[in-house]
Amino acid sequence: MVALHKKGNKNEPSNYRPVSLTSIVCKIMESIIIRDIIMEHFLATDYFSNKQYGFIRGRSTALQLLRILDDWTFHLDLGNQIDVIYTDFEKAFDKIPQNGLLYKLQASGLNNNLISWIQDFLNNRKQFVTVNGQFSKLFKVLSGIPQGSVLGPILFLIYINDLPDFCLGKHDANCDIYLYADDAKLYKTITNGEDQDILQRVINRLKEWCDRWLVSININKCSQMSSKA
């Protein structure tokens, strides 16, 4: 593992991102064989939520922004208020439970041989950290998806794919949620107190999903915005 500085005080360990330096041979296999087969399966079955815009070809941050701004502009032109909740999952790639991920892979209908390969890829991993030429002792990796691997982002998308459907109930009109990898944006057009209750209900479902699948929300990175024409 190498620690890459993200932002803030360089003396604060939490301001660094841990990236795995995995085997080059393994990365080549991930890239030219495993990833292509997985993506072919999930694209053919239309598996990925249309609310997810991370690590999927043809779904960029710019496209997501254009679609959301188009929706917001429409409602603002009508004189409505829009409340937006920005959320971030705490060290999401590092804390994904591997058993939960394997369960979702099996439920997706992916080939059992591929699932077994991914299980071997994740299990029994050990890591050490190098900082300024100094090496730590080996530690067992008990959870998470290796950042720096080719498969890591795709496996994360599979794990989080059901979040939008879980959060948005049948009666939550005009409430929406968009994802870019581990960043979730929830918003609702507000015209009365009932609309506020609907948005709160969606937020509660987000928390319920996190509790069920053992993912934590980084409260310090969450924010709220309210806009009115």
Side-chain angles (χ1 to χ4, degrees):
M1 304 287 294
V2 293
L4 298 183
H5 180 250
K6 294 188 294 183
K7 60 181 180 179
N9 186 353
K10 291 188 175 182
N11 294 323
E12 176 57 50
S14 61
N15 289 334
Y16 289 79
R17 182 188 306 278
V19 175
S20 301
L21 299 180
T22 56
S23 165
I24 298 299
V25 174
C26 184
K27 279 187 175 182
I28 293 173
M29 183 176 183
E30 290 176 70
S31 180
I32 67 176
I33 301 178
I34 307 300
R35 181 183 61 183
D36 290 347
I37 294 175
I38 291 177
M39 290 303 294
E40 180 181 345
H41 168 78
F42 286 122
L43 293 176
T45 57
D46 198 24
Y47 176 83
F48 291 116
S49 169
N50 60 7
K51 306 297 183 182
Q52 175 61 262
Y53 281 76
F55 305 116
I56 300 176
R57 185 177 300 172
R59 300 193 193 179
S60 65
T61 52
L63 180 58
Q64 185 196 101
L65 180 61
L66 288 172
R67 290 194 173 182
I68 291 174
L69 284 179
D70 184 57
D71 193 20
W72 289 358
T73 302
F74 173 79
H75 290 289
L76 289 173
D77 285 345
L78 295 177
N80 296 326
Q81 174 180 321
I82 300 175
D83 284 2
V84 188
I85 309 296
Y86 295 90
T87 68
D88 182 85
F89 296 112
E90 184 177 25
K91 299 188 182 300
F93 278 72
D94 300 321
K95 294 187 177 181
I96 291 296
Q98 295 176 357
N99 288 339
L101 173 61
L102 292 171
Y103 171 83
K104 292 193 173 187
L105 287 171
Q106 292 167 351
S108 72
L110 192 64
N111 181 282
N112 287 331
N113 290 331
L114 270 178
I115 295 176
S116 296
W117 190 95
I118 294 171
Q119 184 174 13
D120 290 340
F121 174 73
L122 295 175
N123 286 349
N124 300 316
R125 300 183 71 94
K126 294 182 179 180
Q127 66 185 28
F128 65 91
V129 181
T130 174
V131 177
N132 296 330
Q134 300 298 313
F135 301 93
S136 72
K137 64 180 181 180
L138 280 172
F139 293 91
K140 291 184 178 180
V141 179
L142 303 178
S143 66
I145 302 166
Q147 294 195 56
S149 65
V150 175
L151 285 181
I154 298 173
L155 295 178
F156 181 80
L157 294 190
I158 294 168
Y159 193 81
I160 203 174
N161 187 67
D162 63 330
L163 174 61
D165 288 339
F166 185 89
C167 290
L168 300 178
K170 295 181 180 179
H171 306 292
D172 296 335
N174 296 325
C175 192
D176 220 331
I177 177 172
Y178 280 87
L179 303 172
Y180 190 84
D182 59 338
D183 294 319
K185 180 170 32 261
L186 301 80
Y187 66 89
K188 174 80 175 77
T189 301
I190 305 296
T191 58
N192 51 49
E194 183 180 353
D195 290 333
Q196 293 176 327
D197 293 338
I198 291 174
L199 180 58
Q200 183 60 56
R201 190 158 59 235
V202 174
I203 296 171
N204 293 343
R205 287 202 190 103
L206 174 65
K207 179 63 167 59
E208 183 182 346
W209 185 92
C210 291
D211 291 341
R212 177 178 297 186
W213 294 106
L214 304 179
V215 177
S216 300
I217 296 176
N218 189 338
I219 301 300
N220 294 328
K221 291 186 177 181
C222 295
S223 61
Q224 179 270 344
M225 180 182 71
S226 183
S227 299
K228 189 171 184 179

